[in-house]
Amino acid sequence: MQRFTLLLFSLMVVGAVLATDRVSADEAQKPGGEHVVLATKTLHYAVGADGTNLAFTDRATGNDYAVAGQKSPLVRIRIAGRWRPSASAKADGNGIVVGFADSDATVTLGVTVHPRHLVLEVIAASDGIDELQLLNLSLALKGELDEPFAACVLALNLQTNVPGIPGPSSRLTASCVRRFGVVGAAVAVVGSPMGEFRDALKEAVTASKTLPQSPVGGPWAMDAPINRASYLFAVPTEDNVEEIIRTLKSIGFNQVQIHGGRGTYRFGDCMPNPKLYPNGVASMKAVIDRLHEEGIYAGMHPYAFFIDKTTPWVTPIPNPGLASGATFTLAADLPADADVVSVQESTEAVSTITGFFERNSVTLRIGEELITFGGVAKEPPYAFTQCKRGALGTTASAHRAGEKAYQLKECFGLFVPDPDSPLFTEVIEANARFFNECGFDTLYQDALDGEDVLGGRENSWHYGSKYIWELWKRLKRPAAMEYSTFHHHLWVLRSRHGAWDHPTRAHQQFIDQHVAANQRNDQMFLPSNLGWWAIKTWQPPQVEPTFPEDIEYWCAKALGTDSGLSLQGYNPALPGHQRLAAIIKQYEELRHAGYFSREVKARLREPGQQFTLVRGDDDRWRFLPVRSTRQKVQATDERSNRWTVHNSHGVQKPTVRIEAMMSTGPYEAPDNVTLADFAKEGEFPAVASAPIVKATLTAGSDDKGAFGRLAAANAGKERRGTWASFKKTFDPPLNLSNHQGLGVWVRGDGKGEVLNFQLRSPSHITGAVAERYVVVDFEGWRYFELVELDADRYPDFGWPYYGWYSVYRELVNYGVIESLTIWCNNLPAEDAIEVDIRPVRALPLLPGTLVNPRLTIGTAAVELPVEIASGRYVEINAAGEVQLYGPAGEPLDKIEAPGAIPALQPGDNTLEFRCSGPSTPAPRARVTISTRGEPLP
């Protein structure tokens, strides 16, 4: 279809070929040239007769934002594996005709001009083009909101791929491939002053006849109040909906998120669980109608296009539209009771490893039967072995030689439809029907990050977007839309962004990383969400409890960024959760009321800055700055009992928390599991390091036994990121369920390097890493018992692995430990280190008791007459009130302290912690000291 307008100001052929690569808007309109100028009211885009980009100019100021001296082609094409740049461009009655170097191929671009954007569409192209790239224009812009001019490319259909999310950009480019069609690919080129840019994007979306349009998504997302709602994951039913409403109001939230799955509604066909919703969709609709009566939004949360294995598309007769990744041919007749399936093709690439994140299935479809296999014969004669016939409720039957066996695709434990089959449309229609009939308001497409399973990673942008766009067409009301992945085509329907999975440790550092990532949402004109959060209780050694200061930190950052919250893992029946819910509610009420000034919000946004919300005598809410320090005290490390706290505020009595931690069994116990004994060379065969680091781990011994000598040299001038690693793999994996602590002796050199003793499970089980650090700020031998994970120190050292998910959230499966890696980092600049490490042993975790804990500040002390068992803690407020809490944060006993808590002086203060109690196991504690400053103005 040819759609273009050739206006005097919009497409102009002029007479002279300019001698330079740069052309101003005024020069572009002089007679006598041969370049092409595309002009809107806000933009001049000039293309040379040689097919190169010449200028990209703001008409209001005359500033040209094309990068000086960079002569990039308007179009590139790939034919027979070779890229060819455009070599000519001329305007004719049908648009711009582009020719290419060393090729007879041509491409014709139609042009449509609008006030603040223009559309380029491929209306003709020579045969044989495998891929086409359009524009390839780098701009002298950073793509930031504080710049005077903004530009971007907006793909107008699913033939056209653009690498970035719409918003201010520094590079304009798009591409299309033969698989999805070259002719018809189209983009909007948007360029305008920054103050008009979001309106210009609205104009481009509205003008398009191919883009889906959402009044609560894309360029309109910032305008919709629903997008700043906060939501709670819950399962409301007709029996408990009133309780759910009370719970939502108790935390100040105005949306409930109903996650799919067999417990609520089935993935794929969205069939409600009859135990919870006896009247099916009618029951779900009744629940949502009641929520709406209270002004509460309802969110549908399916697993995108994924199909539960109990749906009628799978059992009793599998749908032929179930996607398969490999096809095999039966090498012989297959009786109905045979447990070996012989095939003609090689099975070398077949794996039996499955897991939540694995893109792999052990299910074959032959005709109307599903067969699962447990083994594979990878040498001729090829076969699937240990087969279970008539799997998933299908019927075992005989099959003839020559029939096809399809290995089904699977991800997240679910099947998927072939994206080019009718089944794909059936899944879309089932999800849309459920949304429409139940009356949902929001739609989170979880598991969309598995879109690569549909057609390969290189095509995931197309098929994931196809699912969303086709689903949108069938919705009878606009949905506030979110997804578990994000790319260009999803932006036009996206309503908010930032719902991450929750951390299980180092909560405040995780929040800072989340807030920093959410800053990019402003560039995409999307409101932010600061979830999914979960209130955690004590589960050593991997899960840290959520304390009030963590909730205040979370809520303060949300208030400062006007971000919605989302919460999972909340139990309103737990007193500890109720305590935290009251904090959340107060913050939410103030956020929605717009209570605080921009200046206060700017302070709240600052990373690492902690605040507490207080109400003064004048009834005004104010924020006080808070400074907290945590010290881990270990009886096996006498140095840990004394430390320094800096008070940056005035003289005051601090708030104190004393937690009783888990301890380990003795290092020499015979039942311990030795993970590394350093008895011989080559125990750690996988060695890697940063480019400026050389490191070795060699076996040594002395009169006390074997040790490993880790030597490393840093050729650089910085300490950060100077890492080396030595990995040992356990085959088969170890079961350390009863030995989750580590014990190790280290001979230090006092140079401040960091050792990291890291355990991992197989990647198909979990991507978690268990960080445990030893800072070598000592000389001589010292023993370390390593219990809790050191996620809070992960950002300090510059590790070569990305950690927000693996370090902060995921849990190592101690029943299946695949490897131990010994890392070093933070090496002294232009220097070398040498440390020795005795055998690394896995130790059992044992509960302990802190008896009569005593805290000394300066020369004054307070001793508490209490026994604190592992998992419990006491809090002492500034007034000297002492409260004992249980592992779930539940209040237990009030403690009468025999004396007042000592005051902290301004500056550095020396603290000491001691306690009585059993010596076996040696007690361990974590002490948190917090001080407050003056209110923010």
Side-chain angles (χ1 to χ4, degrees):
M1 181 173 61
Q2 300 179 3
R3 299 194 319 274
F4 49 86
T5 304
L6 304 183
L7 302 178
L8 178 62
F9 70 92
S10 62
L11 179 61
M12 183 177 297
V13 180
V14 292
V17 177
L18 298 179
T20 65
D21 292 334
R22 310 281 287 177
V23 55
S24 70
D26 291 337
E27 290 173 322
Q29 308 222 26
K30 293 178 181 178
E34 295 180 354
H35 45 265
V36 176
V37 175
L38 310 179
T40 70
K41 291 181 179 180
T42 55
L43 170 69
H44 273 287
Y45 176 30
V47 178
D50 61 354
T52 60
N53 297 298
L54 294 182
F56 197 87
T57 305
D58 177 1
R59 291 192 70 179
T61 65
N63 291 329
D64 180 8
Y65 290 106
V67 173
Q70 189 174 97
K71 200 170 184 179
S72 60
L74 169 65
V75 177
R76 290 200 313 155
I77 57 173
R78 180 169 56 85
I79 298 178
R82 179 184 171 191
W83 283 102
R84 292 173 170 81
S86 53
S88 65
K90 63 179 181 180
D92 65 14
N94 292 324
I96 305 173
V97 179
V98 182
F100 300 89
D102 303 321
S103 176
D104 296 332
T106 60
V107 170
T108 302
L109 303 178
V111 180
T112 306
V113 174
H114 298 269
R116 286 175 292 203
H117 76 280
L118 55 91
V119 173
L120 301 179
E121 179 180 357
V122 180
I123 60 174
S126 297
D127 293 338
I129 296 176
D130 296 312
E131 184 173 0
L132 179 151
Q133 287 186 342
L134 185 61
L135 299 174
N136 299 292
L137 176 61
S138 295
L139 302 178
L141 293 168
K142 297 179 181 179
E144 297 178 354
L145 294 174
D146 59 356
E147 294 181 292
F149 196 77
C152 78
V153 174
L154 183 64
L156 298 181
N157 53 39
L158 295 180
Q159 292 175 241
T160 318
N161 190 21
V162 173
I165 305 297
S169 303
S170 60
R171 183 168 182 262
L172 308 182
T173 189
S175 64
C176 54
V177 295
R178 181 199 296 266
R179 176 171 179 162
F180 305 123
V182 172
V183 174
V187 296
V189 182
V190 185
S192 78
M194 183 63 75
E196 304 176 29
F197 191 59
R198 187 158 71 98
D199 287 336
L201 288 169
K202 290 180 180 179
E203 172 191 290
V205 175
T206 301
S208 172
K209 296 182 180 180
T210 51
L211 285 178
Q213 299 177 28
S214 168
V216 295
W220 290 275
M222 301 287 284
D223 305 327
I226 189 175
N227 296 339
R228 299 194 189 274
S230 293
Y231 58 88
L232 173 70
F233 284 84
V235 182
T237 67
E238 291 172 288
D239 293 333
N240 73 3
V241 65
E242 300 304 323
E243 177 186 346
I244 295 293
I245 291 170
R246 288 193 296 271
T247 298
L248 285 161
K249 291 183 177 182
S250 74
I251 55 178
F253 283 12
N254 56 350
Q255 180 184 326
V256 64
Q257 193 78 349
I258 308 175
H259 199 296
R262 296 183 195 175
T264 49
Y265 51 92
R266 197 162 52 191
F267 293 139
D269 64 356
C270 298
M271 179 67 67
N273 179 353
K275 293 181 179 179
L276 295 180
Y277 306 99
N279 296 316
V281 169
S283 290
M284 181 70 78
K285 183 179 186 303
V287 168
I288 293 175
D289 287 346
R290 178 68 188 105
L291 294 170
H292 286 164
E293 289 174 0
E294 296 291 333
I296 296 170
Y297 301 116
M300 177 179 165
H301 198 111
Y303 262 25
F305 43 77
F306 286 92
I307 297 173
D308 190 282
K309 295 178 181 179
T310 64
T311 64
W313 294 315
V314 176
T315 182
I317 299 176
N319 191 297
L322 292 171
S324 59
T327 303
F328 301 89
T329 307
L330 295 184
D333 289 349
L334 180 65
D337 59 352
D339 61 1
V340 174
V341 178
S342 299
V343 294
Q344 297 177 9
E345 295 81 6
S346 172
T347 56
E348 177 61 30
V350 176
S351 170
T352 57
I353 295 176
T354 59
F356 187 76
F357 292 107
E358 287 293 306
R359 272 68 167 167
N360 186 51
S361 165
V362 291
T363 304
L364 301 174
R365 180 180 69 82
I366 307 176
E368 296 183 349
E369 180 187 2
L370 295 180
I371 302 171
T372 58
F373 57 90
V376 183
K378 296 192 175 185
E379 300 290 337
Y382 302 113
F384 297 91
T385 61
Q386 304 172 40
C387 293
K388 178 181 177 181
R389 304 298 301 277
L392 300 174
T394 62
T395 300
S397 57
H399 303 280
R400 302 295 298 273
E403 283 192 59
K404 298 299 182 182
Y406 302 93
Q407 184 184 6
L408 297 185
K409 291 184 177 181
E410 181 177 324
C411 180
F412 308 129
L414 304 164
F415 293 144
V416 297
D418 185 318
D420 297 315
S421 73
L423 179 57
F424 192 69
T425 302
E426 290 183 40
V427 174
I428 291 170
E429 290 175 343
N431 278 259
R433 184 167 54 251
F434 188 62
F435 180 93
N436 294 332
E437 293 179 356
C438 293
F440 285 102
D441 306 287
T442 74
L443 183 52
Y444 192 104
Q445 290 291 336
D446 210 341
L448 194 65
D449 50 315
E451 62 193 357
D452 57 285
V453 76
L454 293 174
R457 192 167 298 278
E458 70 279 8
N459 300 312
S460 60
W461 64 271
H462 174 87
Y463 288 114
S465 302
K466 177 182 176 182
Y467 178 81
I468 297 299
W469 285 21
E470 290 298 317
L471 178 66
W472 181 265
K473 292 177 184 178
R474 293 163 171 81
L475 299 184
K476 294 182 180 179
R477 60 188 304 197
M481 190 87 81
E482 296 176 86
Y483 334 94
S484 60
T485 190
F486 201 14
H487 44 73
H488 184 90
H489 295 80
L490 301 177
W491 175 80
V492 289
L493 296 176
R494 184 147 206 160
S495 298
R496 54 191 173 194
H497 188 44
W500 290 8
D501 284 314
H502 59 263
T504 56
R505 47 195 173 269
H507 305 304
Q508 294 185 22
Q509 288 207 354
F510 183 89
I511 293 167
D512 279 342
Q513 292 195 29
H514 194 168
V515 171
N518 275 0
Q519 290 177 355
R520 297 193 299 269
N521 298 346
D522 293 340
Q523 310 288 112
M524 301 178 283
F525 304 112
L526 294 177
S528 291
N529 187 276
L530 203 57
W532 305 318
W533 192 259
I535 296 174
K536 293 295 183 179
T537 54
W538 190 72
Q539 300 172 57
Q542 300 191 73
V543 180
E544 295 180 358
T546 305
F547 292 117
E549 64 266 26
D550 299 318
I551 290 297
E552 285 215 73
Y553 198 87
W554 178 53
C555 290
K557 299 309 179 191
L559 196 156
T561 57
D562 196 14
S563 300
L565 302 175
S566 47
L567 181 61
Q568 53 184 199
Y570 171 69
N571 185 347
L574 295 178
H577 286 204
Q578 295 169 10
R579 178 189 182 199
L580 303 180
I583 299 172
I584 297 170
K585 180 180 181 180
Q586 188 60 71
Y587 272 85
E588 277 292 274
E589 289 176 351
L590 295 173
R591 179 175 72 88
H592 285 297
Y595 189 89
F596 291 101
S597 67
R598 288 185 298 175
E599 291 75 17
V600 169
K601 289 182 179 181
R603 289 289 306 277
L604 299 181
R605 290 195 294 268
E606 295 176 8
Q609 298 303 306
Q610 186 179 344
F611 299 90
T612 188
L613 182 65
V614 297
R615 197 169 197 168
D617 294 338
D618 58 359
D619 213 33
R620 284 187 57 199
W621 290 100
R622 292 181 175 90
F623 281 103
L624 304 182
V626 176
R627 181 185 176 96
S628 297
T629 59
R630 296 202 306 179
Q631 176 73 5
K632 196 178 295 182
V633 179
Q634 301 188 177
T636 54
D637 183 2
E638 184 68 20
R639 298 184 313 160
S640 68
N641 291 338
R642 290 178 62 87
W643 71 100
T644 299
V645 168
H646 182 82
N647 175 19
S648 56
H649 310 302
V651 177
Q652 63 181 282
K653 295 181 179 180
T655 59
V656 179
R657 180 182 298 113
I658 301 172
E659 303 170 67
M661 312 300 281
M662 293 291 283
S663 299
T664 66
Y667 179 76
E668 301 293 347
D671 292 338
N672 292 338
V673 179
T674 298
L675 304 179
D677 59 15
F678 307 108
K680 59 183 178 180
E681 300 290 350
E683 187 176 8
F684 290 79
V687 181
S689 67
I692 59 173
V693 173
K694 291 184 178 180
T696 58
L697 180 59
T698 56
S701 63
D702 57 18
D703 58 351
K704 292 186 178 180
F707 60 79
R709 174 157 293 171
L710 196 161
N714 173 16
K717 298 181 182 298
E718 303 290 337
R719 298 187 72 125
R720 181 178 171 83
T722 54
W723 59 271
S725 67
F726 305 87
K727 180 178 179 181
K728 175 181 181 179
T729 300
F730 305 112
D731 187 13
L734 303 179
N735 182 352
L736 300 183
S737 299
N738 297 322
H739 295 80
Q740 297 188 27
L742 294 180
V744 62
W745 284 87
V746 176
R747 183 193 61 80
D749 59 5
K751 294 186 176 182
E753 65 271 25
V754 172
L755 303 181
N756 180 359
F757 297 86
Q758 187 183 90
L759 296 176
R760 292 199 183 201
S761 301
S763 59
H764 68 277
I765 294 177
T766 174
V769 297
E771 305 277 282
R772 286 181 169 120
Y773 297 161
V774 170
V775 179
V776 188
D777 56 358
F778 58 92
E779 295 183 3
W781 286 102
R782 191 175 299 277
Y783 177 66
F784 293 89
E785 53 181 313
L786 306 176
V787 181
E788 298 81 23
L789 307 191
D790 287 309
D792 57 332
R793 292 193 281 175
Y794 160 80
D796 298 340
F797 303 113
W799 301 106
Y801 46 89
Y802 187 51
W804 81 262
Y805 207 88
S806 61
V807 171
Y808 294 105
R809 170 176 163 74
E810 290 298 281
L811 303 180
V812 169
N813 185 334
Y814 277 91
V816 192
I817 295 297
E818 184 181 59
S819 65
L820 166 68
T821 304
I822 300 177
W823 297 77
C824 63
N825 204 332
N826 200 47
L827 306 181
E830 299 179 322
D831 198 358
I833 62 103
E834 183 180 274
V835 297
D836 294 338
I837 305 169
R838 295 283 185 202
V840 181
R841 293 174 181 164
L843 315 177
L845 297 184
L846 303 175
T849 303
L850 308 178
V851 178
N852 300 333
R854 177 185 178 87
L855 180 67
T856 302
I857 300 177
T859 58
V862 61
E863 182 173 308
L864 305 180
V866 64
E867 294 187 4
I868 311 174
S870 291
R872 297 185 175 191
Y873 59 93
V874 294
E875 288 183 351
I876 312 171
N877 65 22
E881 299 169 328
V882 184
Q883 174 69 58
L884 176 66
Y885 291 93
E890 70 276 21
L892 299 176
D893 300 326
K894 292 280 189 181
I895 309 299
E896 293 295 329
I901 184 170
L904 285 171
Q905 301 300 314
D908 289 341
N909 295 259
T910 300
L911 278 71
E912 182 177 292
F913 178 84
R914 299 285 177 179
C915 68
S916 305
S919 58
T920 303
R924 298 176 67 253
R926 183 162 58 198
V927 182
T928 302
I929 307 292
S930 298
T931 58
R932 297 181 174 189
E934 295 300 315
L936 299 185

